[in-house]
Amino acid sequence: MKMFDVVIKNGNVVLENVVEMVDIGIKSGKIVEIAKEIDCNNATVVIDAADLHVFPGLIDTHVHFNEPGRTEWEGFETGSKSLAAGGATTFFDMPLNSHPPTIDLDGYEQKDALGKRKSLIDYRLWGGLVPQNIERLEELHVAGVIGFKAFMSNSGIDDFQAADDKTLYAGMKKIAALDSILAVHAESDIITEELGKLVEKEDGHSFSASRPIYSELEAVNRILSFAEATKCKVHIVHISSSEVLEPIIAAKKRGVDVSVETCPHYLSLTVDDLDKLGAVAKCAPPLRTGQEVEGLWQAIKAKAIDIIGSDHSPSLESMKKGRLSDAWGGISGCQSTLSVLLEEGYWKREVDLSIIASLTSSNPAKRFGLYPQKGKTEVGSDADFCLVDLKREYTLKKDDLFYRNKQSPYIEKTFRGKVTRTILQGRTVYEELV
């Protein structure tokens, strides 16, 4: 007779291709049984998920928690609590914004020590590729980075320099030899720099025009050529337009090992919102038109986009005030990822729940080598879940946010689909207070 630490009963479980009402038995942090009905007499804890949907825990591959060095912007404690409240059980923290950045072993060890002490959920760390650290890539890989991140344009952080073409090419040869992966912020440095000098108006449309879609296309085409030449796996982050997918899809057909990410803000906000909300909605690449939003959703339905990451890039509230051109370019949004995808995708555009789960859980796990330990609801996998009241409507309030600096373009927006509990390896790490 099986003994269980936890049994989740009566839930509508979102699997990779279907939604089924099944029970899940958990022991020692792992899924040990999935069945139509599990005897709860042998369970220490029983969670009744009747009328709820059980999603695999989100894996957010793109957050900036800024610790050490800029903990006043965000940190592992507040950041991971925010993620848990949004249904995430694992995150990958980017190498810049912290001080020192994660570009050598010392930077990695400082950040990892803080993560181990403070994070509420599982995590991995990105390493950085910058002009001065190619000889440090192997030590970062051995330490355990999930991959490497490079900027093809100015990062906004003085101690994390953009990678020029020689750095990219040499770094990619090394990363390929390590059988790792390079994530790239793909905007043309020269185009964004020169067009930025011509901006005369302090409004969202002018800012968006200064970082046009063709700037992304130029950088993407260049990095794909380097990937083809070096055989380096590449992950292109935060695309803002379906136009950017065209060379990526063509490269995949040629055998280039490339994946692509977009973000909730590109799937729900437009340049008009940037004009209305101001700097709280400023990001790079910038928000685009409503037509571009629809194009990305069509790409999601066609399964042309691999991953959705939040690109949670918080700052002090004072850094989001004043002139738009001077404000910090990053959106705080990791707590709202699933809510945005359910409202904009499932409810408004009839996107299957299994597609949403694959974009936020199984696809990231597969791409970054965590599958099937994570990202899959099967016997032997980690018991990572979030329970969602799919029909529950709520309006996000500032006080609902767990961010260190409680700002977000989603405040006062109404969503359908509320996370009520998040479970990491069988342990409840977030439960809504009712």
Side-chain angles (χ1 to χ4, degrees):
M1 184 177 295
K2 286 185 178 178
M3 303 293 291
F4 303 101
D5 297 327
V6 180
V7 171
I8 303 173
K9 284 195 68 68
N10 306 318
N12 299 292
V13 180
V14 182
L15 303 170
E16 287 193 55
N17 297 302
V18 69
V19 178
E20 287 189 32
M21 184 176 286
V22 291
D23 295 348
I24 301 170
I26 301 166
K27 180 72 175 179
S28 301
K30 301 287 186 180
I31 301 169
V32 294
E33 186 172 347
I34 301 173
K36 288 293 184 183
E37 187 170 356
I38 293 177
D39 185 355
C40 293
N41 290 325
N42 302 312
T44 303
V45 175
V46 177
I47 298 172
D48 187 359
D51 299 322
L52 300 177
H53 281 71
V54 182
F55 284 77
L58 275 65
I59 300 172
D60 194 333
T61 57
H62 193 157
V63 302
H64 300 266
F65 285 166
N66 309 335
E67 196 169 17
R70 294 185 176 91
T71 313
E72 69 275 14
W73 295 18
E74 191 76 279
F76 283 107
E77 183 176 355
T78 51
S80 66
K81 190 172 184 179
S82 302
L83 280 170
T89 51
T90 303
F91 65 88
F92 301 169
D93 189 62
M94 284 294 175
L96 69 160
N97 297 12
S98 54
H99 183 76
T102 315
I103 56 175
D104 55 28
L105 185 59
D106 178 62
Y108 176 91
E109 289 178 340
Q110 286 191 51
K111 179 177 282 193
D112 191 42
L114 290 164
K116 286 176 178 175
R117 191 168 82 241
K118 296 184 177 184
S119 181
L120 188 66
I121 62 177
D122 285 348
Y123 69 90
R124 301 292 191 276
L125 303 180
W126 286 97
L129 170 61
V130 294
Q132 70 269 30
N133 84 325
I134 291 175
E135 298 306 315
R136 302 289 191 139
L137 300 181
E138 185 168 3
E139 68 184 37
L140 285 164
H141 177 70
V142 171
V145 296
I146 200 70
F148 297 89
K149 171 71 176 294
F151 270 72
M152 299 177 75
S153 58
N154 192 320
S155 74
I157 299 293
D158 290 340
D159 50 5
F160 197 96
Q161 297 175 27
D164 57 25
D165 284 355
K166 287 187 176 180
T167 297
L168 286 169
Y169 198 93
M172 291 170 76
K173 287 176 64 178
K174 183 69 173 179
I175 291 166
L178 295 170
D179 193 26
S180 188
I181 187 169
L182 178 68
V184 287
H185 178 125
E187 288 184 286
S188 167
D189 197 38
I190 186 65
I191 291 173
T192 57
E193 181 181 351
E194 292 302 316
L195 291 183
K197 295 175 182 177
L198 304 178
V199 175
E200 296 180 351
K201 295 181 179 180
E202 285 290 322
D203 63 78
H205 282 75
S206 297
F207 174 71
S208 186
S210 74
R211 304 183 82 101
I213 294 169
Y214 61 77
S215 169
E216 291 183 67
L217 282 165
E218 189 282 328
V220 165
N221 277 298
R222 187 156 32 105
I223 204 68
L224 290 173
S225 296
F226 291 177
E228 197 161 7
T230 62
K231 310 303 180 188
C232 181
K233 290 182 283 190
V234 173
H235 179 61
I236 297 171
V237 300
H238 56 45
I239 68 162
S240 69
S241 166
S242 59
E243 283 185 52
V244 183
L245 287 170
E246 294 176 14
I248 296 170
I249 292 169
K252 284 185 176 183
K253 290 179 180 177
R254 296 196 306 272
V256 178
D257 195 344
V258 56
S259 53
V260 61
E261 162 204 296
T262 193
C263 306
H265 40 276
Y266 300 123
L267 295 166
S268 60
L269 303 173
T270 71
V271 65
D272 292 332
D273 291 303
L274 178 56
D275 271 332
K276 177 182 175 182
L277 298 172
V280 74
K282 179 184 176 183
C283 56
L287 299 177
R288 306 295 186 189
T289 64
Q291 182 178 351
E292 297 299 341
V293 171
E294 294 306 321
L296 287 171
W297 277 113
Q298 289 303 313
I300 283 173
K301 288 183 176 181
K303 299 185 179 179
I305 291 173
D306 301 294
I307 290 170
I308 293 176
S310 69
D311 192 11
H312 177 70
S313 185
S315 67
L316 298 173
E317 292 187 56
S318 61
M319 297 169 67
K320 286 290 195 179
K321 299 185 185 302
R323 288 162 48 93
L324 184 64
S325 58
D326 296 331
W328 175 254
I331 283 177
S332 296
C334 69
Q335 191 171 322
S336 301
T337 293
L338 188 55
S339 290
V340 170
L341 298 183
L342 291 173
E343 177 62 30
E344 298 292 331
Y346 176 74
W347 287 111
K348 291 185 178 179
R349 296 173 177 87
E350 300 182 334
V351 176
D352 287 348
L353 296 178
S354 293
I355 291 178
I356 292 172
S358 67
L359 289 163
T360 56
S361 190
S362 60
N363 285 1
K366 290 173 183 177
R367 184 56 169 159
F368 295 100
L370 303 183
Y371 191 87
Q373 178 185 347
K374 293 189 179 295
K376 188 172 180 63
T377 301
E378 72 171 11
V379 171
S381 298
D382 284 358
D384 296 350
F385 303 104
C386 64
L387 277 57
V388 179
D389 186 342
L390 204 60
K391 297 180 180 179
R392 168 94 166 275
E393 185 174 296
Y394 76 100
T395 300
L396 183 69
K397 301 296 183 182
K398 184 174 183 177
D399 288 344
D400 296 334
L401 297 172
F402 292 106
Y403 308 146
R404 180 154 304 208
N405 294 279
K406 297 180 185 296
Q407 55 185 342
S408 173
Y410 303 123
I411 292 172
E412 297 301 328
K413 292 191 177 295
T414 298
F415 300 102
R416 286 166 287 181
K418 184 75 169 63
V419 174
T420 62
R421 184 193 295 253
T422 302
I423 298 167
L424 170 69
Q425 296 180 33
R427 296 180 295 106
T428 294
V429 291
Y430 169 79
E431 186 172 9
E432 183 184 30
L433 296 176
V434 293

